[in-house]
Amino acid sequence: QVQLVESGGGLVQPGGSLRLSCAASGFTFSRYAMSWYRQAPGKERELVATITNTATTVKGRFTISRDNARNTVYLQMNSLKPEDTAVYYCNVFKDREDYWGKGTLVTVSS
């Protein structure tokens, strides 16, 4: 079965950086686009970045990358701001179904 496990969240000061990781299993990772979403308190979940094997789409200051040998997708977040505080989720859309990890909390605060 599809499993997505996020890690790397935590508390960081404004201007700092974090790298999130999402370890995937249960499907042929290299064949699918992978995405990062986030959900801030009281707000709807929003798309942050998507990566295929040939292209990336990113909103804002972040960088998405993938390692098909490790079945892992990353989100590099630099120059973090308090408004980046959210739970960050890994996502794959496979066989007409969305799969989600449990999320990792990023808190940007001084």
Side-chain angles (χ1 to χ4, degrees):
Q1 68 279 22
V2 174
Q3 286 194 322
L4 302 171
V5 180
E6 302 94 337
S7 61
L11 174 64
V12 61
Q13 292 188 343
S17 298
L18 281 176
R19 188 176 82 153
L20 307 183
S21 300
C22 171
S25 61
F27 64 104
T28 306
F29 179 78
S30 60
R31 293 183 181 177
Y32 293 89
M34 299 296 298
S35 297
W36 284 98
Y37 286 73
R38 70 182 182 185
Q39 187 165 18
K43 295 188 177 181
E44 293 186 355
R45 194 171 296 189
E46 63 174 352
L47 177 64
V48 175
T50 299
I51 186 167
T52 66
N53 286 321
T54 57
T56 63
T57 304
V58 180
K59 291 178 61 176
R61 295 161 277 109
F62 303 158
T63 302
I64 189 171
S65 60
R66 66 190 297 160
D67 184 339
N68 287 341
R70 298 178 184 271
N71 288 357
T72 301
V73 59
Y74 303 97
L75 186 69
Q76 179 67 44
M77 304 187 296
N78 297 329
S79 302
L80 284 162
K81 303 177 180 180
E83 52 262 43
D84 295 317
T85 294
V87 178
Y88 285 72
Y89 297 92
C90 185
N91 166 272
V92 62
F93 184 73
K94 177 181 179 294
D95 298 335
R96 292 180 290 181
E97 185 171 350
D98 274 308
Y99 292 88
W100 302 92
K102 293 183 178 180
T104 186
L105 176 63
V106 172
T107 303
V108 184
S109 175
S110 55

